[in-house]
Structures are given as C-alpha cells and as structure tokens.
C-alpha cells in the first residue's frame, strides 16, 4: 500500500512523515498538510525511513486500538523521538505518554464528538493563535490520566485535563483531539503551527510536482516504451499528459471499450484526446468482457474479472506493439487507501491497485499514486488541459459493472446507459454537474409493480446517487432540488423501457461507500 517499488517519484522537497497506526482519518492528516503546501508521505507505523534526509518532522496518527490492548501497534520510536519535531495525535499522543511512563486509562465516559479546547499557557508554539473554547473533535475511549515528569499540559477541555501537552527538552507535542477533521475549527492552525516548529518552507505546488515528476519519469523510463491504460477520466488523462511530456512518442495510450462505459463514451473519449497530441488506440472488447462476466454476481469477483480482463488486453496489445516494457496507470492515493488499510482490512478492491500478476512481463508506472483527486485536477490545470476533462466526475474503473447489482448482461447495460445518460445530461442542463463530486445511476437487483397506461408493469428499479466531496475519503449525499429529481425520475420512467421506479440514495460516506459495489 505504502511503498511502490515499481515507481515512487522522489521529490527533492522537504517532507513530513506520517506514521500510520491505522486510523480512518490518517489520510486526512496528509490532505490538510498538502493544503498548507507541505509535501508529506504516509508510511506504516513500524517502517520509518531512517535514511531519508528530506524529513523535517514526524506525525503519529490515531488508531482503532487502545495503548493497553495486547494487539496494539507499539513500535520502537527511538529513531524518531528527540531527533525530529514530533506531533502525536490521539493514539499517537497517548502512546508517547505511555512509553514515557505515564498512565493511559479508560475514561469515565467515551469521548466522542465536539469539545471546547482552552490553551493554559501563552507561550507555547503549538497553541499560537488558538483562542479559548475553540471547537475540537474528540474520538477516543482512553485518556491520559497521569503525565510523565517532563511533560507539560498546554491545553484542556471541560472533561479532559490533558487535551494537549509538550515534552520539555524536545520538540515533541501531543494532542488528544483530531486537528485533521473538519469539525476541529482550529485544526489547520494547529498543523500550521507544527510546520512552523519544523521550519517548513511549504513549497509543495502543482508546478514543482510536474517538474519533478517529468524529470523522474525521464530518468526512470529512459528510452523504454510505455502503454497507458486510458479511461477518459481525469486521473489517467493527467498521467498521459505527464508521460507524454517525459517520453513523447514512446507512449501509446490504449482505451478499452469493456462494454461497461457510459452511453457513447467510447467515441467521445477518442475525440477528447485529439487536442492533446496523444497516440491513442481504441480497442472494442465488449464481447470478451460480457463472456467473462456472464452469471457472476459477487462484487469482488466482478472487480477482479474486469481488472484481469484489462491486464490481458494490455498485455496482448503490448505484444503487438513490440518492445513495450511498462504499463502506466492513473492510480491515485484514495485507490490505494481503500484497497488495503494498515490493519489489513480491504474495503473494496480496485482494478488498478496491487501490482501486476507474475505472468505479466510489464513493469508498472503510476505517476499520480500519491496524489488526491483535487491535487490531480490542479496538476491538470497547470498542464493546460481543457476544463471539461479536468472537471469530469470520477468514474469507477470497472465502469457500470459495479453499478449493476447482480449479474451483468448487455440488456442490463443498455438500460443503465440510457438512464444514466438522462441523469448526467440533466445535471448539466440544470447547472448542477459542477456542484457535485460524483453522480451516477445504479441498477438494482429488484423489480417492483407499476402502472403505465392502465397496464400493470413489473420492471426494474434504479437508484440515483449523487455526492459532494473534496477527496473521496469522505462524502455527503447531495441535496439536489426536488423539482430536478422529479423531472429526472419522470423522464427515466417514461423514456427507458424496463424501468418503472426511481429512488434517491441519501447515504453518506462513511458509513456507506460512494459506489454500491
């Protein structure tokens, strides 16, 4: 998940290392730091890169564990403590107190949700510009009840005597709240103060990412030939433009019609790339994918079949092109995160994550592997790409295959394509498309009774799914106008044969994922 041996761009930028103890908000720490123009990387709690001279500070994340659990992550931090500016968050703060001889115990009540933080010292760097009773977000069952002798409490809440501390004689701080989450109103202030402590230059920008990445790609790939898995989305598009800058004619982009694209998408994507000067091959593989997916209903199996199908086709085309050494993909950070967490829990498999089968004689290159979606879009704008490509909603790699619940047939794909086309066109017409993060229609594996023209029908139901987000790590359902939803529902039912019911998904992430499968 964290270390891609095939390709990680090595920026000559100073960086913050985030040691991941398994918190569901670890990635938000990285997101917030990058919003402050600070480059950072997440690594497992026990994999600190000791020989990396570009590290200027370290953050310890939260964790689903208690420090008192026998299975809790308890690494040796001797290579970190006292040697770098250090900030422990929640579990990270409790672990620092625990290993220094303090006491961490179950609180009288589990501390979840909003709390009001008050600094109790005026000269602490981490608490600079933090006013009394600032709202913070707590999420822990334990609390630090006894601090070690060289610890100083610097902030508290009404229920937590030690909400934040510093270690005397070190540039080490700990907070028992989560500065990375949106509900902590002074979270960015806390993180920016920590960067000040680290004497960070904060020089992480789209422009220097492009410059460094193109340079690294030139060095890594040399005169080798590369094929790129083009999807039409912003991730693979930006990857293609970066690679084209680095290796030019040695890049061949392959766009596969797996029969699970949106209506007319195959032709539209090929037209879109004419202005970019890319060498694009379009491959019609609908029959192949329909055959491989026939009768398959289990979501993970569908994803794996589709992923294997892409690899098989790319390998076949690589043999035709000759001398292809690399496969490029538009993998981004949330893909990696969702596929495998530090605790080993797979949320869902991504077709473009996890490396290549041993039988495939291609090496993998992923220029955007450590970027979040909004960062990818900023890079695309810096590269001069057309806005409609940059603003295109995320679309799952397996396409409509994960929006058809149950088995996949050409007939179901056609029904879903027509309904989806009505929905997406409607969003554009009502000027709603750019106001939401992602939208689509899901074909449900249920049928319901309806009445059309005095006749009883028993046809399919579909769900409309629209969310707002900034990075896909969290998402809320979009509060679309009722008039719009009524119009779309009516149009789908009247124009798409086989559908007689439309529902609207009002689930947020978490607990739900954006896609249904």
């Amino acid at each position: 998940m964290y270390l891609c041996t095939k390709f990680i761009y090595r920026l000559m930028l100073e960086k913050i290392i985030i040691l991941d103890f398994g918190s569901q908000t670890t990635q938000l720490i990285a997101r917030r730091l990058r919003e402050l123009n600070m480059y950072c990387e997440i690594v497992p709690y026990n994999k600190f890169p000791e020989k990396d001279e570009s590290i200027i500070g370290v953050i310890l994340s939260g964790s689903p564990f208690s420090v008192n659990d026998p299975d809790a992550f308890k690494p040796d931090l001797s290579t970190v403590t006292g040697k770098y500016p250090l900030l422990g968050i929640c579990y990270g703060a409790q672990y620092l107190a625990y290993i220094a001889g303090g006491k961490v115990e179950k609180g009288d009540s589990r501390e979840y949700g909003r709390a009001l933080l008050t600094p109790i010292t005026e000269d602490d760097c981490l608490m600079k510009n933090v006013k009394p009773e600032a709202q913070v977000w707590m999420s822990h069952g334990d609390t630090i009840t006894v601090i070690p002798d060289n610890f100083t409490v610097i902030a508290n809440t009404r229920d937590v005597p030690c909400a934040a501390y510093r270690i005397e004689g070190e540039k080490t701080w700990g907070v028992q709240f989560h500065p990375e989450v949106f509900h902590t109103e002074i979270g960015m202030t806390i993180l920016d103060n920590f960067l000040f402590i680290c004497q960070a230059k904060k020089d992480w920008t789209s422009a220097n990412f492009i410059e460094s990445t193109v340079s690294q790609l030139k060095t890594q790939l040399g005169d080798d030939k590369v094929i790129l898995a083009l999807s039409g989305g912003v991730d693979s598009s930006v990857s293609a433009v970066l690679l084209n800058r680095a290796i030019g004619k040695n890049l061949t982009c392959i766009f596969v019609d797996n029969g699970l694209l949106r209506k007319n998408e195959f032709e539209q994507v090929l037209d879109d790339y004419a202005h970019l000067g890319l060498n694009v091959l379009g491959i019609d593989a609908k029959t192949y994918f329909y055959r491989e997916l026939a009768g398959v209903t289990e979501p993970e199996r569908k994803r794996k079949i589709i992923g294997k199908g892409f690899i098989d086709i790319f390998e076949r085309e690589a043999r035709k092109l000759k001398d292809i050494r690399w496969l490029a993909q538009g993998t981004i950070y949330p893909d990696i995160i969702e596929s495998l967490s530090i605790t080993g829990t797979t949320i869902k498999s991504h077709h473009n994550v996890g490396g290549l089968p041993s039988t495939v004689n291609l090496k993998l290159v992923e220029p955007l592997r450590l970027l979040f979606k909004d960062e990818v879009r900023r890079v695309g704008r810096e590269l001069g790409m057309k806005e409609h490509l940059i603003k295109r909603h995320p679309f799952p790699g397996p396409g409509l295959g994960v929006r058809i619940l149950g088995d996949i047939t050409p007939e179901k794909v056609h029904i879903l394509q027509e309904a989806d086309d009505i929905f997406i066109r409607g969003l554009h017409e009502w000027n709603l498309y750019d106001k939401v993060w992602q939208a689509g229609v899901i074909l449900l594996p249920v049928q319901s009774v309806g009445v059309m023209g005095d006749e009883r029908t028993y046809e399919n139901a579909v769900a409309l799914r629209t969310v707002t987000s900034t990075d896909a790590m969290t998402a809320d359902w979009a509060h679309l106008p009722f008039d719009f939803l009524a119009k779309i529902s009516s149009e789908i039912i009247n124009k798409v044969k086989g559908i007689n019911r439309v529902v609207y998904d009002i689930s947020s992430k978490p607990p739900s994922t954006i896609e249904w499968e």
Side-chain angles (χ1 to χ4, degrees), residues 47-89:
K47 299 291 184 182
F48 181 75
E50 297 180 35
K51 297 181 180 180
D52 192 336
E53 297 180 357
S54 63
I55 299 171
I56 63 167
V58 179
I59 294 178
L60 311 182
S61 82
S63 174
F65 293 110
S66 161
V67 296
N68 297 306
D69 290 343
D71 296 328
F73 302 135
K74 297 179 180 178
D76 178 4
L77 296 179
S78 60
T79 58
V80 176
T81 52
K83 297 177 176 61
Y84 300 92
L86 180 62
L87 174 63
I89 294 175

Side-chain angles (χ1 to χ4, degrees), residues 216-269:
Q216 291 292 333
L217 288 169
K218 287 179 177 178
T219 301
Q220 181 187 18
L221 302 174
D223 293 326
D224 289 352
K225 293 182 178 179
V226 180
I227 57 173
L228 180 141
L230 196 62
S231 71
V234 64
D235 303 332
S236 63
S237 300
V238 173
S239 295
V241 176
L242 283 170
L243 283 160
N244 194 46
R245 283 198 178 187
I247 62 174
K249 60 182 175 58
N250 283 340
L251 171 67
T252 299
C253 300
I254 297 178
F255 181 48
V256 177
D257 184 355
N258 61 357
L260 303 169
L261 302 175
R262 284 175 156 152
K263 183 178 180 180
N264 300 326
E265 187 173 18
F266 187 63
E267 296 78 16
Q268 290 170 358
V269 168

Side-chain angles (χ1 to χ4, degrees), residues 423 464 466 480-490 502 504:
F423 188 32
L464 307 181
T466 316
L480 299 180
F482 289 164
D483 289 349
F484 168 76
L485 292 173
K487 182 179 184 300
I488 294 301
S489 173
S490 176
V502 175
Y504 191 51

Side-chain angles (χ1 to χ4, degrees), residues 112-132:
Y112 290 99
R114 293 175 177 82
L116 299 177
L117 181 81
T118 297
I120 58 176
T121 177
E122 296 181 357
D123 61 350
D124 187 83
C125 296
L126 193 70
M127 291 293 130
K128 183 180 179 181
N129 297 323
V130 175
K131 296 180 179 180

Side-chain angles (χ1 to χ4, degrees), residues 34 63 71 76 83-84 88 140 154 163 239 244 276-277 303 324 341 381 418 432 438 445 462 476-477:
R34 293 190 188 184
S63 174
D71 296 328
D76 178 4
K83 297 177 176 61
Y84 300 92
H140 56 89
I154 58 174
S239 295
N244 194 46
L276 293 176
R303 284 181 173 269
I324 299 293
S341 73
R381 289 189 177 93
E418 294 297 323
L432 295 169
Q438 188 170 341
V462 295
D476 194 12
W477 61 278

Side-chain angles (χ1 to χ4, degrees), residues 442-448 459-463 498-503:
I442 295 87
L443 183 63
L444 304 179
V446 296
Q447 292 184 311
S448 67
E459 294 179 333
N460 297 290
V462 295
I499 296 175
N500 69 355
R501 190 174 298 273
V502 175
V503 300

